[in-house]
Amino acid sequence: MTRSQTRTPNIAVLLPCYNEAATIGAVVRGFKAALPQAQIHVYDNNSTDGTALHAMLAGAAVVRERRQGKGHVVRRMFADIDADIYLMADGDGTYAPEDGEELIRTLLTERADMVVGTRRGVHSDAGRNGHAFGNRIFNILYRTIFGPDFTDIFSGYRAFSRRFVKSFPAVSAGFEIETEMSVHASRLKLPVAELELDYGRRPEGSHSKLSTLKDGGKILWMFAMLMKETRPFVFFGLISAFFMLSSMAFMAPVLAEYFETGLVNRMPTWVLSLALMMISFMVFTAGLILDSVARSRAEQLRIHYLNVAAPSQGLAPEKSIETAQGGRTTRIA
């Protein structure tokens, strides 16, 4: 008799933290209760309030990342930890550990590489009005530039396949890391899913580390850089159009005067308009060339992604059911 078995996936819960002593203990205990088979990893980012000690006492494996910024922490986590499934959340208690099982189940049943827990009610309780307004604007901007795959690009509650984690070339330093993850998935057209979840309030004594203007500026800069890298034809095409319109604005009165009098009295303006036109053509040409380079890089990233072993079809988060067929026992999830 032969017997094919499903096996429980190796799950790693990743909790990047900075000064979350008030909440991290309860968060770790919550994930240990919700996912008893998972390994809980807390990466402390230079906390000064005892976050690491509280996480360790709650039963988590704790590592310190000295480079300040969530992007540095996530990059280190993805490099250090080997698992079949990765579940990333925040240590501030705003995400319910009980929802982690549903994120993982969605990842497995839809055979996705990333499942994002979109935050229900985040616009009405994002800490400050500026955060809520920024969430709306940046999500609209993302869908305009990179496509309609995601409706909440800043959610920190995500489940990943090993394939995604080990092929993700993270370069961000701070809170822009979630945007970079979303762009990576959209760029390579990876299978993704979203699951709407409740978004909790921070408990007393826990404070947001986000700065509306400072971090908003960093995210906007990251949007521009990612657009330049992933959609250079559009990026440089817009710049080219700006120089083209500027050239035509300077050129129009000079041409009107020339057709009326046969003279070019404003020679410096004419030279400036021609220079702007030449710059427009050069920027447009650069966009064409870089678009081919970007396509080649996307193909290389896709090949690297495919070189990582796909999730085993034997992985199943739920109990299996045994059936007997033709003298052979098979386990069906």
Side-chain angles (χ1 to χ4, degrees), residues 94-121:
T94 53
Y95 298 114
E98 297 78 17
D99 293 330
E101 185 179 359
E102 188 61 30
L103 284 170
I104 292 171
R105 183 179 293 110
T106 303
L107 186 84
L108 291 172
T109 56
E110 298 198 16
R111 299 188 63 79
D113 282 307
M114 180 169 66
V115 178
V116 180
T118 61
R119 298 167 292 177
R120 185 186 295 120

Side-chain angles (χ1 to χ4, degrees), residues 76-143:
R76 175 83 178 274
M77 286 178 157
F78 283 4
D80 287 356
I81 300 168
D82 283 319
D84 296 315
I85 294 171
Y86 300 78
L87 183 67
M88 187 177 77
D90 292 339
D92 57 10
T94 53
Y95 298 114
E98 297 78 17
D99 293 330
E101 185 179 359
E102 188 61 30
L103 284 170
I104 292 171
R105 183 179 293 110
T106 303
L107 186 84
L108 291 172
T109 56
E110 298 198 16
R111 299 188 63 79
D113 282 307
M114 180 169 66
V115 178
V116 180
T118 61
R119 298 167 292 177
R120 185 186 295 120
V122 67
H123 298 314
S124 59
D125 182 30
R128 280 181 285 180
N129 291 333
H131 293 176
F133 178 75
N135 272 319
R136 294 190 185 94
I137 295 301
F138 282 123
N139 278 298
I140 292 172
L141 187 60
Y142 181 92
R143 291 193 293 272

Side-chain angles (χ1 to χ4, degrees), residues 20-23 92 201-207:
E20 300 291 0
T23 56
D92 57 10
R201 294 174 179 269
R202 283 176 171 269
E204 192 70 27
S206 178
H207 305 285

Side-chain angles (χ1 to χ4, degrees), residues 86 103-116 142 148-150 158-165 167 181-195 301-302 305-306 308-311:
Y86 300 78
L103 284 170
I104 292 171
R105 183 179 293 110
T106 303
L107 186 84
L108 291 172
T109 56
E110 298 198 16
R111 299 188 63 79
D113 282 307
M114 180 169 66
V115 178
V116 180
Y142 181 92
D149 290 333
F150 302 100
R158 300 178 183 228
F160 308 96
S161 68
R162 175 183 172 83
R163 206 175 217 186
F164 182 98
V165 166
S167 66
M181 291 175 181
S182 301
V183 171
H184 177 68
S186 295
R187 182 184 190 186
L188 298 188
K189 298 177 175 59
L190 305 183
V192 296
E194 288 189 324
L195 191 65
L301 285 171
R302 180 76 186 182
Y305 158 80
L306 292 172
V308 180

Side-chain angles (χ1 to χ4, degrees), residues 308-321:
V308 180
S312 171
Q313 294 187 16
L315 296 181
E318 300 177 351
K319 294 181 179 179
S320 303
I321 301 172

Side-chain angles (χ1 to χ4, degrees), residues 164-244:
F164 182 98
V165 166
K166 297 305 180 183
S167 66
F168 173 54
V171 297
S172 301
F175 285 100
E176 319 93 85
I177 189 70
E178 284 98 354
T179 304
E180 190 181 358
M181 291 175 181
S182 301
V183 171
H184 177 68
S186 295
R187 182 184 190 186
L188 298 188
K189 298 177 175 59
L190 305 183
V192 296
E194 288 189 324
L195 191 65
E196 190 176 39
L197 305 173
D198 289 326
Y199 183 65
R201 294 174 179 269
R202 283 176 171 269
E204 192 70 27
S206 178
H207 305 285
S208 174
K209 314 304 185 299
L210 283 172
S211 169
T212 301
L213 296 178
K214 182 180 178 181
D215 288 305
K218 289 181 179 179
I219 293 168
L220 190 61
W221 179 256
M222 174 58 69
F223 267 68
M225 292 301 98
L226 290 172
M227 184 179 180
K228 177 179 71 69
E229 295 297 324
T230 63
R231 303 191 64 193
F233 182 75
V234 176
F235 182 84
F236 288 100
L238 292 173
I239 298 175
S240 174
F242 170 77
F243 281 109
M244 176 73 74

Side-chain angles (χ1 to χ4, degrees), residues 250-270:
F250 284 111
M251 188 181 293
V254 178
L255 287 175
E257 183 181 25
Y258 173 77
F259 287 125
E260 183 178 345
T261 66
L263 301 173
V264 179
N265 293 321
R266 291 186 286 179
M267 185 58 69
T269 302
W270 177 248

